[in-house]
Amino acid sequence: LESGMKLPEPFASVRALFEPKPTEWLVVEFNGFNVRAMRSIVKDGDLEISNVVQSNRPTIDACFSDVIDAFQRHSEALPPQAILITSQAACSILELPINPFGPCNEAELSELVRWEFEQQITEQLAILTIDTIMVGRGLITEAEVDKAREAMLTQNPGTRSVATAPAKFADQAVAMGLIDRAPADECLKLLESFQTLDDNLSCKFFPTSREGDSPGDAGFPWLVSGLGETARSQWVARFESLGVRLERIYPIGYTSSAALDPVNEDSPHAILDLLDGLDCYAAYDGNQLTALRWGPAPLSPRNPEALINLIGSDRLDHLWVSGRSEIAKPVATAIHEGLNVPVKAFPP
């Protein structure tokens, strides 16, 4: 993929690194409220990670500058190429009335994909909430969020949730002395910039069906990934200013699937990614992707029932759960007890 101009297939952020020759990458991750960077070196099939740095400065540009400065203090030079993993990008399976194995107009297909995908990416960007940003940046605790939320809902009976009233929540947290005004406003600006969607989307799409498969109720399944063109251009420019090529861009969700070997997975299986504020579920039949689902994750411990609902009625021979061990292991145990399928925390 040249110069990060389009998104490649999702779920390959790890697998793409394993190339025959030694390869060095600058890997940058933006999760909506902070930026992390690391050096990844692949040699003889082994992945080495070093120089991990993180910043939660008020803006994306400030965070990026911060992590690059810290990175360079511990390294002689930046790697020549980069991978970006960002929650500004999203992916989904869309059913479209176009047979991927028949004749089609590429321009019409691209326009249809962008039209259908806009609603999907808008909904996924709305997952990030002001309380998640504040907690993720270390400004308030989960217990303080609960207090501020309860007070806000009590004083504003017409308000449904923090997600629908971020400014009211910020005002409440400031009024209770839980956070200062300046950092609260910074979080609001970050949320606004994150959730502002471009009119133009940069997308990449692939059919997920096999030739001869019957279409679904709305058509044939297509895997679509993309992000706003403005966000894409800004990231390309950030890396270009360093003399680094942004080669690949990936959504932050579902990337754990890349660490599993599809060749050795010949039965129905799935992987559940437990991220900050977001849960992502990807199901496979052998190496064929069959389902992608996502849902908001609470700041408090995961609700196993909600995760079981995310899995739905899928028939699975086994399930992988990916996340921080203190989160993933109890979730794996609860889902195993609820679904009676083998469940493993990943990494173990």
Side-chain angles (χ1 to χ4, degrees), residues 19 30 58 64 72 82 85 89 94 99 102 130 215 287 304 311 343:
E19 300 176 354
F30 173 58
F64 186 72
Q72 291 180 312
I85 303 170
L94 301 178
N99 185 343
I130 188 66
N287 63 0
I311 297 169
V343 182

Side-chain angles (χ1 to χ4, degrees), residues 291-303:
L292 291 178
R293 303 188 193 104
W294 53 270
L299 290 172
S300 55
R302 268 18 183 223
N303 179 357

Side-chain angles (χ1 to χ4, degrees), residues 60 83 89 102 138 159 193 250 341:
I60 298 176
I83 288 174
T159 301
S193 65
Y250 300 98
V341 297

Side-chain angles (χ1 to χ4, degrees), residues 138-221:
L139 298 172
I140 60 177
T141 66
E142 296 180 11
E144 290 171 335
V145 165
D146 292 339
K147 292 178 181 178
R149 180 193 299 112
E150 183 178 352
M152 181 193 72
L153 296 178
T154 299
Q155 297 176 26
N156 301 273
T159 301
R160 298 197 307 272
S161 66
V162 172
T164 60
K168 286 184 179 179
F169 178 82
D171 290 343
Q172 186 66 56
V174 171
M176 296 175 66
L178 303 176
I179 185 173
D180 292 336
R181 182 77 262 175
D185 288 342
E186 290 170 357
C187 292
L188 287 170
K189 290 179 181 179
L190 186 60
L191 178 66
E192 181 181 7
S193 65
F194 180 85
Q195 294 184 342
T196 300
L197 186 64
D198 287 306
D199 291 333
N200 296 319
L201 295 177
S202 180
C203 295
K204 190 74 173 179
F205 44 90
F206 306 87
T208 64
S209 58
R210 301 185 180 98
E211 189 167 6
D213 286 354
S214 300
D217 294 337
F220 292 88

Side-chain angles (χ1 to χ4, degrees), residues 28-36 54-56 60 63 84-88 127-129 132-133 136-137 190 194 235 252 275-278 324:
V28 173
E29 178 190 85
F30 173 58
N31 61 4
F33 45 84
N34 59 39
V35 173
R36 291 195 300 169
Q54 177 174 307
S55 174
N56 59 356
I60 298 176
C63 281
L84 173 67
I85 303 170
T86 175
S87 51
Q88 294 165 298
I127 285 288
L128 186 66
T129 57
T132 301
I133 293 176
R137 294 166 69 87
L190 186 60
F194 180 85
W235 280 110
I252 201 169
L275 307 170
D276 291 319
L278 178 66
R324 295 192 300 272

Side-chain angles (χ1 to χ4, degrees), residues 9 20 57 77 79 110 131 153 178 185 204 222 232 238 252 259 265 294 314 326 334:
E9 57 178 322
R57 295 280 297 280
S110 296
D131 53 336
L153 296 178
L178 303 176
D185 288 342
K204 190 74 173 179
W222 292 77
R232 188 204 65 80
R238 290 182 184 110
I252 201 169
E265 296 281 357
W294 53 270
D314 292 351
E326 68 272 18

